[in-house]
Amino acid sequence: MTDWHGYHPPSRPIRVEGGLTLRSKRGDIAQTWWSRRFLEVLESFGMAGRLARGRSYARTGQVMSLSLSTSLVVALVTGTRPEPYRARIGVRKFSDEDWRRIEHALADRAIFAAKLLAGEMPPEIEDVFADLGLTLFPSTMRELHMDCTCPDWEVPCKHLAATCYLLAESFDTDPFEILAWRGRSREDLLDRLRDLRAPIPAEPAEPTPDPEDSFADFWARPKVAEVVPDVAESTTRRPDALLDQLEPLVVDGRSVTDALRPLYRRIAKP
């Protein structure tokens, strides 16, 4: 209904069955330091007042779905119209080279690798990013991109604000979603940290000789290689074989070699 001044009374959002709701029904929403840090960053951009508008949406289940992928969060939020609005929050992902430096820096500090492997986010992790010239959370509004299909031109609208609160609470449950938002999934990061922290296998050592064996080898007679003749010796010995090595000897037309052969054989007999 519209009065003659053109004023549109606020309409109530359409109730949603089975929507996503915040665990906290009153008071603070974020429970861990990293999810609180995320909301503090958004509030530092001057969004505190507008974020508060989305609390009731987040607590009454107006957000129908929430999905997070590399650099983008997408939510479907039901408002005053039957068709849900699509709210998107984008952030710059780190490059492969940035992640290579991040992984090496985290692997160099045993406490970071251990806590991440245990599903925790050590507070000092922000210092690791800072030392590399990076920030875990967006440092300026230029690193964030928010849009919604609703007609509200202000950012964040109620639908985006509700998405931010549910996103913060999902960070409470799984801190790796922050890193996945920046471009590295839990599985890929943990596998990389395990590989970087795996001990380098030592080269096999040369076996140490036994001193007793060394002394025994020193005094032992060296082995002589067996000499194998090129031509096997004849099994039958010929005493006149020497005559075969001489030039034929002939005197008066008679072979002296043939005459000596019976003599050699006779002498060789026992």
Side-chain angles (χ1 to χ4, degrees):
M1 183 178 68
T2 303
D3 63 15
W4 63 277
H5 291 291
Y7 170 72
H8 294 265
S11 56
R12 293 181 177 275
I14 299 174
R15 306 302 296 176
V16 176
E17 294 294 333
L20 304 176
T21 60
L22 293 174
R23 290 188 298 273
S24 63
K25 301 306 178 184
R26 62 177 61 87
D28 294 337
I29 292 175
Q31 301 299 317
T32 59
W33 76 263
W34 54 85
S35 56
R36 287 196 300 270
R37 181 83 174 98
F38 171 65
L39 292 179
E40 289 170 359
V41 166
L42 296 182
E43 292 171 357
S44 71
F45 298 156
M47 297 183 182
R50 296 196 63 80
L51 280 174
R53 298 175 56 198
R55 288 196 181 203
S56 61
Y57 268 48
R59 282 182 166 142
T60 56
Q62 297 302 117
V63 180
M64 300 172 60
S65 65
L66 180 75
S67 63
L68 183 148
S69 59
T70 299
S71 76
L72 186 64
V73 172
V74 179
L76 293 179
V77 187
T78 298
T80 57
R81 299 180 181 180
E83 184 178 355
Y85 300 116
R86 184 185 63 186
R88 300 191 305 174
I89 307 174
V91 69
R92 184 182 68 85
K93 72 171 184 176
F94 296 131
S95 66
D96 291 340
E97 174 59 23
D98 287 338
W99 272 113
R100 186 192 68 79
R101 296 191 296 133
I102 293 168
E103 289 160 351
H104 278 272
L106 294 176
D108 288 342
R109 301 276 295 274
I111 185 63
F112 292 125
K115 287 197 172 184
L116 285 172
L117 289 170
E120 299 179 26
M121 184 82 75
E124 298 82 6
I125 195 171
E126 287 194 274
D127 296 332
V128 174
F129 283 82
D131 291 342
L132 299 174
L134 304 169
T135 57
L136 177 59
F137 299 97
S139 58
T140 65
M141 191 60 189
R142 290 192 301 272
E143 294 184 57
L144 275 177
H145 176 77
M146 294 185 177
D147 64 57
C148 183
T149 55
C150 75
D152 190 347
W153 58 271
E154 293 193 62
V155 176
C157 60
K158 289 181 290 187
H159 317 101
L160 282 167
T163 302
C164 289
Y165 282 124
L166 282 167
L167 181 60
E169 199 168 77
S170 73
F171 290 161
D172 269 336
T173 305
D174 185 3
F176 280 94
E177 287 196 356
I178 301 173
L179 303 175
W181 199 25
R182 286 293 205 173
R184 188 62 88 235
S185 69
R186 170 201 291 264
E187 291 76 16
D188 290 343
L189 179 59
L190 292 184
D191 287 346
R192 185 68 178 134
L193 290 180
R194 290 189 187 98
D195 291 341
L196 290 174
R197 291 197 58 80
I200 300 175
E203 295 184 1
E206 292 287 338
T208 304
D210 189 341
E212 294 184 3
D213 293 341
S214 300
F215 286 127
D217 292 341
F218 180 79
W219 292 108
R221 176 180 295 178
K223 295 181 179 180
V224 178
E226 181 181 358
V227 179
V228 180
D230 293 337
V231 180
E233 295 182 358
S234 173
T235 56
T236 303
R237 186 176 179 182
R238 293 175 52 238
D240 59 340
L242 178 62
L243 298 175
D244 295 334
Q245 306 297 322
L246 302 176
E247 294 291 335
L249 180 62
V250 178
V251 178
D252 295 335
R254 297 182 59 188
S255 173
V256 177
T257 302
D258 292 340
L260 292 174
R261 200 174 295 280
L263 177 62
Y264 271 78
R265 294 172 179 172
R266 199 164 37 248
I267 293 174
K269 289 181 178 181

